[in-house]
Amino acid sequence: MTLSSHGAASSTPDEIPSLYGPGTTVKRVRTRHLVEAKERGEKWAMLTSYDQYTAALFDEAGIPALLVGDSAANNVYGYETTLQVSVEELLPLVAAVARSTKRTLVVADLPFGSYETGPAQALETAVRFMKAGAHAVKLEGGRRMAAQIRALTDAGIPVMGHIGFTPQSEHTIGGYRVQGRDAQAAEVEADAHAVADAGAFAVVLEMVTSSVAAEITKRLPIPTVGIGAGSETDAQVLVWQDMAGLRRGKPPRFVKRYADLATVLQDAAKAYADDVRAGGFPAKEHGFE
Ligand code: KIV
C-alpha cells in the first residue's frame, strides 16, 4: 500500500482496481466500483449513449458508465425539450445500449411523468427499465424525491440522483439557470444529502456553482457527477453529440468539443453523392457477376 497525492491509501500498480486502463481488475463496472473510485481519488467520465454503435465504441474506449438519458428527446427524437419523451420511447434505446456493452454500467433515465406521483409509480417504471437491461436508473429531484429513491434502493435497484438544474423542472425553475448561488447554496446541499441518505450510489450536479459542487463533493460519501459544475466533482458527464460535435450550433458553456463529427459526416455524405452523380460509385468491385 502507498499513500496517494490525496493522502488516501492506494494499491500498488499491479493491484490497482481502477475502472479501466492497464492492470484493471474490473470486468463489469458495478456501482460499488464507482464509490471505491471516489475513495481513492480516481476521476471518471460518463457519456450519454442511445444506440448500439456508440455504446460499443464508448465501452471499448473505457467509459465506465453510460447514461441512456432522457436527452434522447432532443438528441434522437427531435423534440424541443425532455418533457416530451416517454418510457415507451426510451425502453428500446436502453435495451440496445445494454446489449451492446460488456464492461460499462448502463444507467437508464426515468422520463418526466414516470415517477413523480410516488414510490409505487417510480418502482413500477424502474422495474421496466431494469428488465430492459439497465443496471441502474437515474431520476431528477432532491429532497422531494427521497421517498422514491428509498423505495427503489430498498427494492434492489441502484439509483443515481440528479439535482441542481433539473431539465424536467425547467418551467418551475424558470429556464436554464445556474443553481447554488448565495442563499440557494444551502438548498442544493440539502438536496445532495437527502439523495445520498435515501441510498443513491451517485448524484449528478447540473449547472451548480463550482464552489458549491466542490463542497458537496467533499462532504458526500457517494460520487458526484458534474455537468457544468466545475472541476472538483468526482466524475463528469456530457451528452455525446455535444462532446463529439455532432450537434450544430453554439454549445452550452460547460461543453468541450473533442471532435467535429458534423463536418466529417456531412463531408462523407457529399463525397458519396458526388461519386454517385459522377458514376464513380458503384465500381465493378461493388457489384455481383
Ligand atoms: O439526459 C441526460 O443527458 C442527462 C445528463 C445531462 C446528465 O440527464
Side-chain angles (χ1 to χ4, degrees):
M1 286 283 188
T2 54
L3 277 186
S4 73
S5 58
H6 303 266
S10 67
S11 310
T12 58
D14 290 1
E15 30 175 58
I16 286 176
S18 69
L19 292 167
Y20 52 85
T24 184
T25 55
V26 176
K27 289 202 173 70
R28 167 66 82 176
V29 177
R30 308 281 180 178
T31 57
R32 70 182 163 84
H33 295 125
L34 303 179
V35 177
E36 287 164 12
K38 178 181 179 105
E39 286 161 5
R40 61 176 180 270
E42 179 183 342
K43 289 189 179 240
W44 47 277
M46 180 160 93
L47 279 174
T48 62
S49 175
Y50 319 97
D51 72 287
Q52 63 160 336
Y53 291 128
T54 59
L57 285 170
F58 298 159
D59 191 21
E60 286 164 23
I63 302 294
L66 290 180
L67 172 67
V68 185
D70 63 350
S71 51
N74 330 72
N75 292 287
V76 174
Y77 286 109
Y79 294 130
E80 208 174 313
T81 76
T82 58
L83 299 179
Q84 288 147 293
V85 78
S86 67
V87 171
E88 282 65 32
E89 286 167 315
L90 291 183
L91 279 171
L93 311 188
V94 169
V97 169
R99 279 197 293 267
S100 311
T101 54
K102 293 194 175 78
R103 178 137 128 236
T104 190
L105 181 97
V106 177
V107 183
D109 223 356
L110 304 191
F112 177 64
S114 73
Y115 60 95
E116 294 86 344
T117 63
Q121 189 201 21
L123 186 54
E124 197 180 314
T125 306
V127 165
R128 294 183 72 190
F129 280 104
M130 297 302 280
K131 283 186 184 292
H135 307 132
V137 300
K138 178 171 87 56
L139 57 83
E140 296 184 8
R143 287 160 289 175
R144 66 193 169 88
M145 286 300 151
Q148 277 86 331
I149 295 171
R150 175 53 67 200
L152 300 192
T153 54
D154 281 352
I157 299 173
V159 179
M160 179 176 275
H162 184 159
I163 62 167
F165 175 70
T166 44
Q168 292 175 14
S169 312
E170 78 161 269
H171 298 297
T172 303
I173 294 171
Y176 278 63
R177 296 165 68 112
V178 174
Q179 304 292 298
R181 291 205 171 113
D182 306 322
Q184 214 185 36
E187 301 285 312
V188 180
E189 284 174 16
D191 279 338
H193 286 283
V195 164
D197 291 348
F201 72 88
V203 60
V204 171
L205 306 180
E206 181 162 354
M207 286 174 64
V208 169
T209 60
S210 303
S211 56
V212 169
E215 188 61 23
I216 290 171
T217 301
K218 220 185 305 161
R219 295 195 182 280
L220 240 51
I222 59 170
T224 56
V225 185
I227 176 162
S231 61
E232 299 298 310
T233 53
D234 299 301
Q236 296 290 330
V237 58
L238 284 176
V239 168
W240 86 258
Q241 290 92 340
D242 290 342
M243 179 279 300
L246 186 60
R247 192 154 68 123
R248 285 250 162 100
K250 191 170 162 13
R253 176 190 163 111
F254 55 75
V255 167
K256 180 171 174 185
R257 278 186 174 153
Y258 289 84
D260 182 7
L261 277 199
T263 302
V264 169
L265 206 51
Q266 197 169 62
D267 285 352
K270 282 183 189 157
Y272 162 63
D274 288 349
D275 218 10
V276 170
R277 267 195 296 270
F281 178 82
K284 201 166 181 341
E285 67 268 26
H286 302 119
F288 303 94
E289 296 303 333

